[in-house]
Amino acid sequence: MPFYVAHRLFAAHDRALAADLADRLAIKVGPDRVFLPFCDTDEEDLVAEVKGRRLFELDRDRLGHLDAMIAILHGPSLDDGVCMEIGYAIASGVPVVVLTTDFQTYSMTEAGTRLEFPDPILQAVATRIVRVATLGPSPLPSVPGQSRFKGFQARNAAQTSTAIDTAIDTLLDLPGRVPLPTASPVIPGAAVYVEPSPYLSRRMGHLAESLAGGGHTVVEPQRFTAPDPIAGALADLAAVRAAARLLVDVSGPETPPGAALLIGAALASGVRVAAFQSYPAFTHAHGREPNWRNLMIQYAVDARLSSDEAALSWLVA
């Protein structure tokens, strides 16, 4: 079983960072035990009738059968494909190390608990978090004519190098498969869990009311309002895995990170998932079909819905 390197795919510097990490990990465990998406799915040369779906299938087939995952997440806008992969791995008992060099921490209120990520569910489920938040040491005093930008580049390169090596050491120190973090769900088995988008929460609140008015038992997130956001996040994860269905608003520039993670956990747990998106925006990549969301999200869900009526129909289908 391999080690899976989950990372943002869409820019050269992200792929280069992940390749550096994968190469260093391969030196320690052997190249055949490291899987690097995009690289190892031969994305540039892959030919398939529906290329995006095939890429999703190749990655999903590996996610539940890993020794461990190492996931790279930086900044407040977290890659939804990576978050979905984390959710799938965690729900499959795979330990996950999350690597970040973000120098910010986050909280639900001004004086609230400080968190490593904007959504507390990522901190709640990660087996380990490696956070290297400061630049490397200052270089030697500059000499006349030497660019200060080179010195700053060197400090960032040193920070990245430290983060990668620390994350790999942490990964190799992990135990085997780990029990899923749990909290007892206090929901009926036939409930539908409704996850709003932070970009359009008012509309999703209306949808939850509409579903409840249609006779459905609706469960909504706890983690953003609970006194203990980590406990609330674990309760949300347990509720999703115990629900009959998961309905997620994926509206916004990308699927919100917690929503993406819950989609992955639901898929691994056999819970049917629908995405609610009134106004889709499509992405286009060479050789792929148009995607209305990250392909790991698009192909994890059973249906894409755009109205209250469609949601009600899906729940009885």
Side-chain angles (χ1 to χ4, degrees), residues 100-124:
T100 181
T101 58
D102 192 351
F103 61 79
Q104 302 176 112
T105 54
Y106 304 86
S107 61
M108 300 294 101
T109 62
E110 188 172 351
T113 304
R114 296 296 180 91
L115 303 166
E116 307 288 353
F117 301 103
D119 192 313
I121 200 166
L122 285 152
Q123 187 156 333

Side-chain angles (χ1 to χ4, degrees), residues 31-244:
D32 292 340
R33 294 188 65 205
V34 180
F35 177 76
L36 181 65
F38 199 102
C39 172
D40 290 334
T41 47
D42 302 317
E43 179 152 347
E44 291 274 287
D45 302 317
L46 177 68
V47 176
E49 185 175 344
V50 185
K51 184 173 179 178
R53 178 179 287 280
R54 183 60 184 147
L55 290 167
F56 165 80
E57 291 168 346
L58 289 169
D59 287 349
R60 181 201 55 196
D61 289 347
R62 291 176 174 87
L63 287 172
H65 306 284
L66 304 173
D67 289 320
M69 172 184 286
I70 187 162
I72 304 172
L73 292 174
H74 294 296
S77 180
L78 304 177
D79 184 77
D80 46 359
V82 173
C83 292
M84 180 272 180
E85 291 170 331
I86 291 172
Y88 196 104
I90 287 292
S92 303
V94 174
V96 176
V97 172
V98 179
L99 168 62
T100 181
T101 58
D102 192 351
F103 61 79
Q104 302 176 112
T105 54
Y106 304 86
S107 61
M108 300 294 101
T109 62
E110 188 172 351
T113 304
R114 296 296 180 91
L115 303 166
E116 307 288 353
F117 301 103
D119 192 313
I121 200 166
L122 285 152
Q123 187 156 333
V125 305
T127 312
R128 299 281 189 277
I129 296 173
V130 173
R131 181 170 178 258
V132 180
T134 57
L135 293 170
S138 298
L140 295 174
S142 60
V143 298
Q146 185 180 51
S147 169
R148 69 185 185 278
F149 305 121
K150 285 289 186 183
F152 183 63
Q153 180 188 41
R155 296 185 69 189
N156 279 279
Q159 179 184 3
T160 302
S161 183
T162 298
I164 289 175
D165 288 340
T166 304
I168 289 173
D169 290 343
T170 302
L171 186 74
L172 298 181
D173 242 358
L174 291 176
R177 290 190 160 242
V178 295
L180 180 69
T182 58
S184 297
V186 285
I187 66 168
V192 54
Y193 182 104
V194 177
E195 175 76 13
S197 166
Y199 305 108
L200 296 164
S201 57
R202 180 180 300 174
R203 186 188 68 201
M204 204 62 172
H206 171 71
L207 178 60
E209 291 176 7
S210 177
L211 298 181
H216 298 280
T217 301
V218 175
V219 178
E220 297 182 83
Q222 299 182 36
R223 63 191 184 277
F224 300 117
T225 55
D228 181 347
I230 299 297
L234 291 176
D236 289 347
L237 177 63
V240 164
R241 299 186 73 231

